[in-house]
Amino acid sequence: MLKLFAPRTALRASARSGAPIPAFRPSAFPLTCNAAFRRGYASEAEERDLIVIGGGVAGYVAAIKAGQAGLKVSCIEKRATLGGTCLNVGCIPSKSLLNNTHLYHQILHDTKNRGIVVDGVHMDIAQLMKAKETSVSGLTKGIEFLFKKNNVEWVKGTGAFADEHTVDVNLVEGGERSLRGKNIIVATGSEATPFPGLTIDEEKVITSTGAIALKEVPKKMVVIGGGIIGLEMGSVWSRLGAEVTVVEYLGQIGGPGMDAEVAKATQKLLAKQGMKFKLNTKVTSGDDSSASVKINVEAAKGGKEETLDADVVLVAIGRRPYTAGLGFENIGLEVDERGRLIIDQEYRTKIPHIRVIGDCTFGPMLAHKAEEEAVAAVEYITKGYGHVNYNAIPSVMYTHPEVAWVGQNEQELQKEGVKYKVGTFPFSANSRAKTNLDTEGFVKFLSDAETDRILGVHIVGPNAGEMIAEGTLALEYGASCEDVARTSHAHPTLSEAFKEAAMATYDKAIHF
């Protein structure tokens, strides 16, 4: 085999240099070798209206949208299933674990008051993971079906730019293909940011990928990073019995987008569930050379060092664009200091027919943001116009209670010097929340002090992830708090808390 493939490399070199290529007689080789040669040799570039690099949320949505518009589309994805990080090892499997562990935790701690007596409850970790995989499998196969329905070709492999219009693909099954695209969309997503000094093995030192696949409940877990991913995954294993300690450099959990009042309330609620927090704390070093992992921490501004022992350490300090091996240097595409590909307002790079969407460029690393960009980018290609309102992109944390927000928070408004009003309404005063025995949290509105226009909506409480859609729609249409308050909301529903919070902002709530 080595002797067979050496001449193939030489042939490619001759082709690139323009030197004459010696005649080649396939009949000189046995049939099996002949087949191997054909698999290994790159075919002539195949023309496409659109090539999408990446089959994650941004990529597959772009491919389907373009297919619906009648474009000839190829989507390059190396993973064995479509859907990228979100569907395979991120959003979807984590929500399965969050939902099912919440049910388990509720049965253990919250059924007696409801008149439900349960004995002998235990968690079957293997079945928990099987339920997760069933959800993932169904959704990823659904995308594959949609590709076929919309005539999108899935090219299974890794793509790299050969020139401004050509993408060479190393096929998963062996060999190469070259695709030539009139338009190209890069949607390669992101990867977990590693922590210096700790080796990710997805067993002792894990990212979110390892956090959804642990085979047993650790006794002690340290989460480095108090953002959404760290809190969600920490919450899963805390419910199952792990002693979870969250170490966060900032003075609040949830990341910079979460409203400070909401973050403080959420931390108290999670602490009641057993999670521990070390805020304003930095990790100075870690040692994973023994059976357990030792994490050294100290105050963010400096101080006495402390050592934390853990069976498992979850590194959740954020994500970074995944662009390795794409051959951007071959065509001169530019990245910023954070590795994000530089684009204009129409998602175009310096090469106009090459566009970038999703996690590998600017903006929040959210699946729904990536979807919106995918639709807009294809519309720019097919119609000449597209639109995404980045001021109306919701965020959700799927702990219990859930946390959701859209628009600006108080800290941002204060920094900008905007005069605003605040209105809140607690779920403890909501009739449906009371009947559900799930009354923790509140809805908070922020509005312009003069015009009453809604500037931000923040929710911590039951069903927050669904309820925030109403806030996003209101923000998109430039609604006022009075617009929301004068809209009839069904009774009894949790959404009445949303209506009453709007009333509290421009006038007074009725039930509180």
Side-chain angles (χ1 to χ4, degrees):
M1 294 296 283
L2 289 174
K3 290 183 179 179
L4 170 63
F5 278 66
R8 184 184 71 187
T9 305
L11 287 173
R12 288 186 188 151
S14 298
R16 286 195 296 269
S17 65
I21 300 177
F24 173 69
R25 294 181 297 110
S27 59
F29 292 89
L31 180 61
T32 53
C33 291
N34 223 351
F37 189 92
R38 287 198 301 272
R39 284 198 307 270
Y41 196 75
S43 61
E44 185 177 349
E46 304 162 52
E47 186 79 12
R48 296 288 185 273
D49 295 318
L50 174 64
I51 297 170
V52 180
I53 306 177
V57 174
Y60 84 70
V61 170
I64 291 171
K65 182 68 176 178
Q68 291 172 343
L71 272 59
K72 188 176 183 181
V73 186
S74 288
C75 180
I76 303 166
E77 172 57 52
K78 65 183 179 181
R79 196 187 294 266
T81 51
L82 294 166
T85 295
C86 177
L87 264 69
N88 288 280
V89 293
C91 315
I92 299 304
S94 67
K95 300 312 163 287
S96 173
L97 296 181
L98 281 158
N99 183 66
N100 291 334
T101 57
H102 170 61
L103 291 175
Y104 170 69
H105 192 266
Q106 190 171 33
I107 291 169
L108 284 180
H109 304 285
D110 188 30
T111 58
K112 289 183 180 180
N113 293 336
R114 301 172 186 273
I116 304 171
V117 180
V118 182
D119 294 318
V121 178
H122 70 279
M123 177 59 76
D124 182 339
I125 297 294
Q127 185 59 38
L128 176 72
M129 295 300 170
K130 184 178 179 181
K132 173 201 69 176
E133 293 303 327
T134 299
S135 302
V136 170
S137 176
L139 288 167
T140 55
K141 287 177 181 176
I143 297 170
E144 194 170 348
F145 165 77
L146 290 172
F147 267 29
K148 293 175 182 176
K149 178 182 177 181
N150 293 286
N151 299 312
V152 175
E153 180 194 27
W154 176 12
V155 181
K156 299 179 181 180
T158 304
F161 283 96
D163 59 45
E164 294 181 0
H165 281 278
T166 307
V167 179
D168 288 342
V169 185
N170 284 321
L171 301 172
V172 170
E173 295 181 354
E176 296 179 357
R177 278 182 66 183
S178 285
L179 302 175
R180 185 169 177 80
K182 296 176 185 176
N183 296 280
I184 299 173
I185 290 179
V186 179
T188 49
S190 61
E191 62 182 351
T193 303
F195 190 86
L198 291 175
T199 303
I200 304 292
D201 61 5
E202 300 298 7
E203 292 182 359
K204 277 195 316 182
V205 181
I206 62 175
T207 64
S208 56
T209 299
I212 63 166
L214 292 178
K215 294 180 176 61
E216 60 183 29
V217 180
K219 291 181 179 179
K220 291 185 178 182
M221 173 183 279
V222 170
V223 180
I224 304 177
I228 291 178
I229 293 175
L231 295 174
E232 286 184 348
M233 290 295 91
S235 182
V236 164
W237 295 103
S238 174
R239 293 167 184 169
L240 296 179
E243 181 184 310
V244 176
T245 301
V246 178
V247 181
E248 170 57 50
Y249 184 82
L250 299 176
Q252 71 169 58
I253 63 170
M258 190 181 289
D259 184 84
E261 182 182 9
V262 170
K264 187 175 181 180
T266 302
Q267 183 183 335
K268 287 182 178 179
L269 294 173
L270 293 177
K272 282 174 62 178
Q273 297 171 20
M275 294 178 67
K276 300 178 181 179
F277 296 91
K278 289 184 175 295
L279 305 185
N280 294 305
T281 303
K282 63 181 177 182
V283 177
T284 57
S285 62
D287 182 3
D288 55 14
S289 60
S290 59
S292 63
V293 185
K294 295 186 183 300
I295 301 296
N296 297 316
V297 302
E298 66 178 34
K301 295 181 179 180
K304 185 178 179 181
E305 192 170 77
E306 179 185 1
T307 300
L308 304 177
D309 288 314
D311 303 291
V312 172
V313 172
L314 168 58
V315 178
I317 56 175
R319 299 182 65 83
R320 62 186 183 184
Y322 181 77
T323 57
L326 287 169
F328 293 141
E329 64 279 1
N330 298 335
I331 55 175
L333 291 188
E334 301 169 320
V335 298
D336 68 2
E337 71 282 354
R338 293 171 60 181
R340 300 174 298 189
L341 282 158
I342 296 174
I343 56 172
D344 66 11
Q345 70 276 9
E346 295 183 12
Y347 311 105
R348 297 173 298 193
T349 63
K350 62 189 292 187
I351 303 170
H353 66 271
I354 300 177
R355 300 175 194 259
V356 185
I357 57 176
D359 284 6
C360 56
T361 189
F362 308 117
M365 291 184 175
L366 298 169
H368 45 282
K369 171 260 192 187
E371 288 189 53
E372 299 302 323
E373 291 182 337
V375 172
V378 172
E379 287 179 337
Y380 275 120
I381 292 170
T382 58
K383 300 178 181 180
Y385 59 86
H387 174 69
V388 176
N389 181 359
Y390 289 97
N391 293 318
I393 303 291
S395 294
V396 183
M397 185 170 78
Y398 297 88
T399 52
H400 188 83
E402 293 180 347
V403 183
W405 67 91
V406 66
Q408 294 175 287
N409 60 41
E410 279 203 71
Q411 294 67 51
E412 291 167 340
L413 294 175
Q414 290 167 2
K415 187 176 180 180
E416 294 176 12
V418 176
K419 294 182 179 179
Y420 64 93
K421 290 183 178 180
V422 181
T424 62
F425 189 84
F427 282 105
S428 60
N430 174 265
S431 56
R432 185 63 188 276
K434 277 187 172 295
T435 60
N436 290 349
L437 300 182
D438 194 2
T439 58
E440 293 177 323
F442 56 88
V443 181
K444 177 178 180 177
F445 271 74
L446 302 172
S447 71
D448 186 279
E450 296 181 4
T451 66
D452 191 40
R453 184 172 61 88
I454 297 169
L455 301 176
V457 179
H458 304 265
I459 310 170
V460 51
N463 211 41
E466 301 293 338
M467 197 181 299
I468 200 62
E470 184 177 357
T472 305
L473 185 64
L475 211 64
E476 178 68 33
Y477 279 89
S480 67
C481 288
E482 186 174 357
D483 289 329
V484 172
R486 292 190 181 278
T487 300
S488 180
H489 288 62
H491 175 77
T493 60
L494 295 170
S495 67
E496 288 179 286
F498 192 90
K499 171 190 172 83
E500 296 246 30
M503 293 179 71
T505 310
Y506 86 95
D507 191 7
K508 291 182 179 180
I510 298 297
H511 293 94
F512 183 71

